[in-house]
Amino acid sequence: MLEQYGYVLVFLTAGIFFILGAFITGWVLSPNGLLGLKYKYKKEILVDTYECGVETYGSSWFRFNVSFYLYALLFVIFDIETVFLYPWAVSFRQLGLFGFGEMIVFIFILLVGLAYAWRKEALKWE
Amino acid sequence: MVHLIANLLQQALGAVGLSGFAFIINPIVSAVVMFGGISVFVMFLVWMERKVSAHMQSRIGPNRVGVFGLLQTVADALKLTTKEDIKPVHRDKIPYYIAPIIAFVATFAGMIVIPFDKGVSVQNLNIGILYVISITSFTVIAILSAGWSSNNKFALLGGFRSAAQIVSYEVPLVMSLVPVIMTAGTLNLNNVVEYQQKAGYWFVVPQFIAFLIFITSATAEANRAPFDIPEAESELIGGFHTEYSGVKFAMFFLGEYIAIIVSSAVAVTVFLGGWLPLPFLGSLPIPGFAWFVAKLLFVIYLIMAFRWTFPRLRVDQLMDFGWKVLIPISILNILITGFCILFFGKGV
């Protein structure tokens, strides 16, 4: 059982090594890398922030639209709902009518929440 | 084949006197084989996408490198590796390098549970569906950290939009699978296909709406047109990967295509009967693996065709569609399915 999840761990680690290998290959072959062509250029311009040639003004770590935050909050609520839905769905037949009724109540409460957010225009993008 | 290589390597380890490490050979060999296979398949898919696009726009498409231009992607990959690695000075170093790694690894690890044929998957986890959904949703972290760490206004906007979009379409994606789980009573992808074999129908027939919701959300999750506002070229240069070049860009590209493969493979397994043959064609001597790949290519073709048949959505339209259309429909679908199972017996 746990051995199966060992595969997941190995895949994650191996994936990281594949990417690192690709990075190293890129570094070896790229210009000014280990084996690539060597040339000189005005580095300040090349490595500056890319904004289609216009010089960038200020930092880009600025305040962002509050809508993103509202959607994130709603997402957390609905994602937790799905966490409850999955085990319920697996044993749906054993739970029978009672389990179904319970889930209807649960979903109904969430739908009221969604309707409230909708009504309050939290789902409106500005 | 995997077992053959693994056995050889285990014997080699035993000969050197390191047989204690033999247990690690199997997973490593399967990871390497999976990586090789998936890279070749992604190269084929890029070529296929370019050919499909060309066909839809009455162009010829790549036809110079190799037969039918099949080697075009190999040439492109070589070009990307030999490109200079431009590192923007204002970047936030650690997340900047972690982002492409997560973008690839998260989707790559999702391939573990996909059953290519009867009982042929790297590991047949008993929570397969839950696992593949949860591990592929890590890509949102990659996109956010790529957008944030580039210190580029366009990249940041793209990253935020993408995070909001992925998060919004995650909910209908997950919910569209619930009716299938209720009917089949399992989270194991192998067992879902076996249930379809026993029941004699594919889930796409009774759950066609769920299938549509799944494909739509999967397209949005993979940031593909018509849901490609995170990297809308005409507005945001390149979105979250504006500041990435060379190999690091290639890794994002690879991760994106693997995400398409994984979600299409889940759609094939859950809704289209996985390795099962088409109806009335079961007597043909075609292996299950070939059926699986054929269905996979069909679903991927659908997603590619979407790109040229629908215009790009605006941000507000996109969010509205997710929250006000897809989520209510998928909840209704769950309730109707539950009602049918309880009151009309086993079917549906």
Side-chain angles (χ1 to χ4, degrees):
Chain A
M1 189 54 203
L2 210 60
E3 182 190 351
Q4 291 189 314
Y5 292 95
Y7 272 74
V8 178
L9 192 68
V10 169
F11 262 64
L12 293 175
T13 329
I16 292 171
F17 278 106
F18 290 142
I19 301 292
L20 290 181
F23 282 0
I24 291 167
T25 321
W27 172 71
V28 168
L29 293 177
S30 66
N32 289 342
L34 193 65
L35 298 176
L37 280 170
K38 304 282 184 291
Y39 70 96
K40 287 191 170 170
Y41 52 85
K42 283 195 170 176
K43 206 168 180 184
E44 314 83 69
I45 297 173
L46 183 72
V47 297
D48 205 5
T49 307
Y50 178 74
E51 273 179 27
C52 302
V54 183
E55 271 188 45
T56 183
Y57 174 76
S59 165
S60 53
W61 294 327
F62 45 70
R63 287 179 289 176
F64 51 87
N65 196 339
V66 71
S67 297
F68 290 115
Y69 188 70
L70 291 177
Y71 281 110
L73 272 180
L74 275 174
F75 165 70
V76 171
I77 297 165
F78 275 87
D79 215 35
I80 290 174
E81 178 192 359
T82 55
V83 168
F84 285 116
L85 271 175
Y86 265 62
W88 169 78
V90 171
S91 48
F92 177 70
R93 281 166 207 266
Q94 285 96 36
L95 292 176
L97 196 60
F98 178 71
F100 189 51
E102 290 278 296
M103 193 43 85
I104 286 179
V105 173
F106 179 60
I107 289 177
F108 178 72
I109 294 170
L110 272 162
L111 278 181
V112 170
L114 183 67
Y116 178 75
W118 196 332
R119 188 76 198 282
K120 282 278 173 190
E121 299 188 334
L123 297 177
K124 201 174 161 193
W125 191 275
E126 295 176 60
Chain B
M1 199 184 83
V2 175
H3 291 292
L4 205 72
I5 302 170
N7 276 338
L8 274 177
L9 281 173
Q10 269 164 0
Q11 278 165 15
L13 266 187
V16 199
L18 289 171
S19 48
F21 291 101
F23 67 94
I24 203 136
I25 290 294
N26 256 324
I28 289 182
V29 168
S30 44
V32 171
V33 169
M34 181 64 86
F35 180 68
I38 206 119
S39 308
V40 173
F41 194 55
V42 165
M43 285 186 173
F44 170 75
L45 283 186
V46 175
W47 172 82
M48 175 176 153
E49 166 134 47
R50 295 183 66 180
K51 277 292 189 190
V52 169
S53 322
H55 182 70
M56 288 193 171
Q57 297 170 337
S58 303
R59 290 186 287 116
I60 297 171
N63 69 342
R64 294 284 154 176
V65 194
V67 192
F68 301 118
L70 265 170
L71 295 177
Q72 181 67 48
T73 328
V74 182
D76 285 345
L78 271 176
K79 183 202 72 179
L80 277 175
T81 9
T82 53
K83 281 281 176 190
E84 184 173 2
D85 184 20
I86 299 167
K87 311 179 197 73
V89 268
H90 302 294
R91 72 192 188 281
D92 195 347
K93 282 202 184 83
I94 295 169
Y96 182 79
Y97 286 107
I98 287 177
I101 296 181
I102 298 179
F104 169 78
V105 170
T107 47
F108 178 61
M111 290 299 294
I112 292 179
V113 289
I114 305 298
F116 301 102
D117 200 345
K118 194 175 170 63
V120 180
S121 52
V122 177
Q123 274 302 318
N124 186 15
L125 298 184
N126 55 358
I127 52 158
I129 297 178
L130 190 63
Y131 166 80
V132 73
I133 284 174
S134 45
I135 201 137
T136 47
S137 64
F138 272 101
T139 44
V140 67
I141 297 172
I143 288 170
L144 255 186
S145 64
W148 181 263
S149 62
S150 302
N151 199 349
N152 179 320
K153 294 175 185 82
F154 295 102
L156 184 68
L157 271 176
F160 273 140
R161 281 187 187 184
S162 182
Q165 170 184 332
I166 292 185
V167 146
S168 301
Y169 281 78
E170 183 87 26
V171 179
L173 180 94
V174 175
M175 281 187 181
S176 66
L177 293 174
V178 170
V180 173
I181 301 167
M182 281 158 70
T183 321
T186 175
L187 283 170
N188 186 321
L189 284 166
N190 258 298
N191 293 355
V192 170
V193 179
E194 269 156 20
Y195 183 91
Q196 296 177 70
Q197 190 169 21
K198 227 174 5 187
Y201 58 81
W202 298 348
F203 277 122
V204 70
V205 180
Q207 297 293 347
F208 189 66
I209 296 170
F211 177 69
L212 286 185
I213 296 172
F214 185 86
I215 290 287
T216 318
S217 317
T219 317
E221 288 269 299
N223 286 330
R224 287 182 57 87
F227 304 105
D228 66 337
I229 50 160
E231 42 195 292
E233 296 94 342
S234 40
E235 305 169 25
L236 291 179
I237 315 178
F240 59 89
H241 54 56
T242 303
E243 294 285 5
Y244 284 87
S245 59
V247 180
K248 292 202 288 294
F249 169 74
M251 290 306 125
F252 273 117
F253 206 63
L254 191 61
E256 198 169 302
Y257 271 88
I258 298 177
I260 298 170
I261 296 174
V262 171
S263 45
S264 310
V266 172
V268 166
T269 318
V270 170
F271 291 107
L272 295 175
W275 64 78
L276 301 177
L278 284 170
F280 311 116
L281 292 177
S283 52
L284 292 179
I286 300 173
F289 180 71
W291 284 116
F292 183 85
V293 173
K295 289 173 189 173
L296 187 65
L297 284 177
F298 170 72
V299 175
I300 293 175
Y301 172 78
L302 271 187
I303 293 178
M304 284 175 181
F306 286 166
R307 178 170 172 185
W308 302 108
T309 39
F310 297 115
R312 181 188 297 146
L313 275 78
R314 242 174 26 226
V315 189
D316 57 331
Q317 291 169 336
L318 180 104
M319 300 309 257
D320 275 4
F321 185 62
W323 286 97
K324 297 179 185 171
V325 179
L326 288 185
I327 290 180
I329 290 181
S330 46
I331 289 178
L332 204 64
N333 194 24
I334 293 172
L335 293 182
I336 291 174
T337 309
F339 188 80
C340 287
I341 293 178
L342 278 182
F343 296 105
F344 299 109
K346 291 171 197 160
V348 187

